[in-house]
Amino acid sequence: MAILVVGSVAFDSIETPHGAVDHCLGGAATHFSLAASYFTDVRVIAVVGKDFTAEHEAVLTRRGVDTCGIERANGLSFHWTGSYSGNLDEAKTLGTDLNVFETFEPKIPAAYTDSEYLFLANIDPVLQARVRSQMPKVRMVCGDTMNYWIADHGANLAKVLSDLDTLLINDGEVRMLAGERNLVLAAEKVLAMGPKTLVVKHGEYGATAFFSDRSFGGDTKICRPFRAPALPLAEVVDPTGAGDSFAGGFYGYLASQPVLTPAVFRTAMFYGGVMGSFAVERFGTERLQNVTRQEIDERFKLFQEISHLDYTGA
Amino acid sequence: MAILVVGSVAFDSIETPHGAVDHCLGGAATHFSLAASYFTDVRVIAVVGKDFTAEHEAVLTRRGVDTCGIERANGLSFHWTGSYSGNLDEAKTLGTDLNVFETFEPKIPAAYTDSEYLFLANIDPVLQARVRSQMPKVRMVCGDTMNYWIADHGANLAKVLSDLDTLLINDGEVRMLAGERNLVLAAEKVLAMGPKTLVVKHGEYGATAFFSDRSFGGDTKICRPFRAPALPLAEVVDPTGAGDSFAGGFYGYLASQPVLTPAVFRTAMFYGGVMGSFAVERFGTERLQNVTRQEIDERFKLFQEISHLDYTGA
């Protein structure tokens, strides 16, 4: 079933120990869409400038992503400049040019209104809430955010959180949002803010899902947390978009399944890790454009092999 | 089969956000022995002072640990003072009084010489090597070390590493030892120093084993890394000894099995996490003294439940 994603389609200028790229296609909605496109239909709501060419659009459309919700505005596209050093575990932002994103008013094309899954990528929670309110009938809403919105836009973010099925954020963000250093206690506090389920991304250490008694609808049995591994990688070329690619693999798989069960959720966590592990192998979206379904399936098995006691190579 | 462990039996004075204890029984060999005692016979080589009473010794002997290799010296036992704050992820050492450990000359009782498994807990690599050389016929040697020895005693440590079956250290230590930030590349460098297998402890994120083509004897097939989870805990009372307890659960299980296979190694990683998760629930050795085999088995299942896609509660 189709996912509607709202978020940034942007250009990134990135420097890592493996090289540098200037103005390569990026943005949370881009990474998310490409990763999710291997599992289900994806529709994008975003705004771009005149620098977004047919060639850039083709990166998405070649993967079957519906781009009719990408608005063209006068001006330049959102542009992020950043660098990574050492273990590539933290980005240093050198510049954030919002450009056309500064006055973005998301509009939902009529053809998108039957989307059953909504993903609110990391943008201003005011915009997240606006899109959410225009999609009252979706089956599931999943969202992301970041330290900037947590620190200075708490009231707006609280409204978004109050109505989320799943929140996907990283360790630092969940601790900051909860004001609590212990991950389990922080997760409890965040779940009390609204999300039925919380997925915490740990970068190279994988991810943990924390469930509430609302996670699986009528089944009020509280699930144990679930830990999905990350693949130990000898070479991380560019970590930009790894979290969005995790979200795309995770949510794409969820949306491809008829019913949300604990088993489906766990499998989705693994697919999230799989897509994140591909994303970082090349700069920008290069790897996510060209991965094959067979490679995805093989890596999924590899994730089982590296984490399951009884893996027999089946 | 019996494990011989050489390391510190000591007293710890610890402060954490959950309270403080003064001169509680601790030391790497103590935590290791108690954790391993649930799986196999354990014999200890250490030195203590006059402050080590029959009551302290009974903590070990009640768990069947053989203490005849614990030498009594004039003076006070090794004493560590430390504190934890925030997320309890790093200890701040406030004092290290080596006391009787300063002149420790490990002697191996005749009754210990048939031990088939040797664990070199975190002590001076000169002492580790001395014990190793007196146990030429052991079936397996596993060891630990720390930043202090890596930084300033590299040549002595290199000799110990050259002859290890498995090295168990934490993230920071493996990166420091290899001079490499990427975990996979660091692991390759460390394996090239001698250990057949490397287990990297990630604290609250679990542990990863890296294998070489020497890990499983004749079978030269290189194994994928293996990631074992840690249990998300709402309350960490005292993390002191968590790594040693991991080592004890890990090595105790290995020594209890007739043959070392990849499946046995993986299971041992899970038991390591299980024993580490118990250790931190109370100050000092309190929890490891009183855990039951049933609790261990239940927690082992819980570790599967939180990490396996197909867990069905079997």
Side-chain angles (χ1 to χ4, degrees), chain B residues 228-244:
Chain B
L231 189 64
L233 291 168
E235 188 177 82
V236 173
V237 170
D238 173 17
T240 311
D244 301 311

Side-chain angles (χ1 to χ4, degrees), chain B residues 121-233:
Chain B
N122 169 35
I123 49 169
D124 187 334
V126 169
L127 299 182
Q128 291 180 317
R130 204 167 294 163
V131 171
R132 173 69 184 97
S133 68
Q134 292 174 68
M135 298 291 292
K137 291 183 187 166
V138 289
R139 189 164 156 177
M140 191 172 177
V141 187
C142 192
D144 189 5
T145 191
M146 70 182 289
N147 50 7
Y148 175 76
W149 309 114
I150 296 169
D152 298 328
H153 296 74
N156 293 334
L157 181 60
K159 283 179 210 157
V160 175
L161 295 179
S162 70
D163 192 29
L164 276 188
D165 288 284
T166 300
L167 175 66
L168 282 113
I169 51 181
N170 70 32
D171 273 89
E173 288 157 358
V174 69
R175 290 179 163 118
M176 183 180 181
L177 183 56
E180 164 65 49
R181 294 288 299 274
N182 177 284
L183 188 64
V184 177
L185 300 180
E188 284 173 9
K189 285 192 177 187
V190 169
L191 289 172
M193 296 173 190
K196 293 177 185 164
T197 308
L198 170 68
V199 173
V200 185
K201 295 171 283 180
H202 310 308
E204 67 172 314
Y205 301 119
T208 307
F210 292 94
F211 303 98
S212 72
D213 54 5
R214 299 162 290 129
S215 290
F216 299 105
D219 183 359
T220 59
K221 178 176 150 279
I222 296 176
C223 280
R224 306 284 191 188
F226 184 70
R227 302 209 114 158
L231 189 64
L233 291 168

Side-chain angles (χ1 to χ4, degrees), chain B residues 20-206:
Chain B
V21 290
D22 188 51
H23 280 77
C24 75
L25 184 63
T30 305
H31 292 287
F32 175 92
S33 298
L34 290 172
S37 73
Y38 291 89
F39 302 92
T40 196
D41 293 336
V42 186
R43 300 153 170 185
V44 188
I45 304 272
V47 63
V48 293
K50 301 294 178 196
D51 46 357
F52 185 81
T53 64
E55 202 181 318
H56 297 122
E57 188 167 13
V59 168
L60 292 166
T61 54
R62 268 199 302 268
R63 286 287 327 137
V65 175
D66 188 331
T67 57
C68 82
I70 300 182
E71 181 190 331
R72 267 74 173 170
N74 276 318
L76 294 171
S77 302
F78 179 36
H79 176 224
W80 178 78
T81 308
S83 71
Y84 301 83
S85 58
N87 196 33
L88 293 91
D89 43 10
E90 206 170 344
K92 186 176 172 188
T93 292
L94 302 173
T96 304
D97 308 308
L98 285 176
N99 298 329
V100 294
F101 238 89
E102 208 151 4
T103 53
F104 180 39
E105 288 287 342
K107 294 168 214 55
I108 298 172
Y112 282 12
T113 52
D114 63 349
S115 308
E116 295 194 80
Y117 290 79
L118 176 61
F119 188 75
L120 308 170
N122 169 35
I123 49 169
D124 187 334
V126 169
L127 299 182
Q128 291 180 317
R130 204 167 294 163
V131 171
R132 173 69 184 97
S133 68
Q134 292 174 68
M135 298 291 292
K137 291 183 187 166
V138 289
R139 189 164 156 177
M140 191 172 177
V141 187
C142 192
D144 189 5
T145 191
M146 70 182 289
N147 50 7
Y148 175 76
W149 309 114
I150 296 169
D152 298 328
H153 296 74
N156 293 334
L157 181 60
K159 283 179 210 157
V160 175
L161 295 179
S162 70
D163 192 29
L164 276 188
D165 288 284
T166 300
L167 175 66
L168 282 113
I169 51 181
N170 70 32
D171 273 89
E173 288 157 358
V174 69
R175 290 179 163 118
M176 183 180 181
L177 183 56
E180 164 65 49
R181 294 288 299 274
N182 177 284
L183 188 64
V184 177
L185 300 180
E188 284 173 9
K189 285 192 177 187
V190 169
L191 289 172
M193 296 173 190
K196 293 177 185 164
T197 308
L198 170 68
V199 173
V200 185
K201 295 171 283 180
H202 310 308
E204 67 172 314
Y205 301 119

Side-chain angles (χ1 to χ4, degrees), chain B residues 240-304:
Chain B
T240 311
D244 301 311
S245 304
F246 179 99
F250 164 81
Y251 208 41
Y253 178 79
L254 273 195
S256 76
Q257 298 299 302
V259 187
L260 178 66
T261 64
V264 164
F265 200 100
R266 288 161 178 240
T267 304
M269 295 274 292
F270 269 55
Y271 276 116
V274 164
M275 299 313 288
S277 76
F278 282 121
V280 303
E281 290 181 352
R282 298 280 184 281
F283 274 100
T285 59
E286 186 185 336
R287 191 68 179 100
L288 286 186
Q289 291 180 48
N290 299 310
V291 67
T292 66
R293 183 67 213 207
Q294 189 187 338
E295 287 175 311
I296 292 171
D297 291 339
E298 281 168 6
R299 190 158 291 186
F300 182 85
K301 284 183 189 166
L302 180 55
F303 269 66
Q304 286 184 282

Side-chain angles (χ1 to χ4, degrees), chain A residues 32-103:
Chain A
F32 175 90
S33 297
L34 289 172
S37 73
Y38 291 89
F39 302 92
T40 196
D41 294 334
V42 186
R43 300 154 171 182
V44 187
I45 303 272
V47 63
V48 293
K50 299 297 179 192
D51 47 356
F52 186 81
T53 64
E55 203 182 318
H56 296 122
E57 187 166 14
V59 167
L60 293 166
T61 54
R62 269 198 302 269
R63 285 291 324 139
V65 175
D66 188 331
T67 57
C68 82
I70 300 183
E71 182 189 330
R72 267 72 173 172
N74 278 317
L76 294 171
S77 301
F78 179 36
H79 176 225
W80 179 77
T81 307
S83 72
Y84 301 84
S85 58
N87 197 32
L88 292 93
D89 44 9
E90 205 170 344
K92 186 177 172 191
T93 292
L94 303 172
T96 303
D97 308 308
L98 285 177
N99 298 330
V100 296
F101 238 91
E102 207 152 3
T103 53

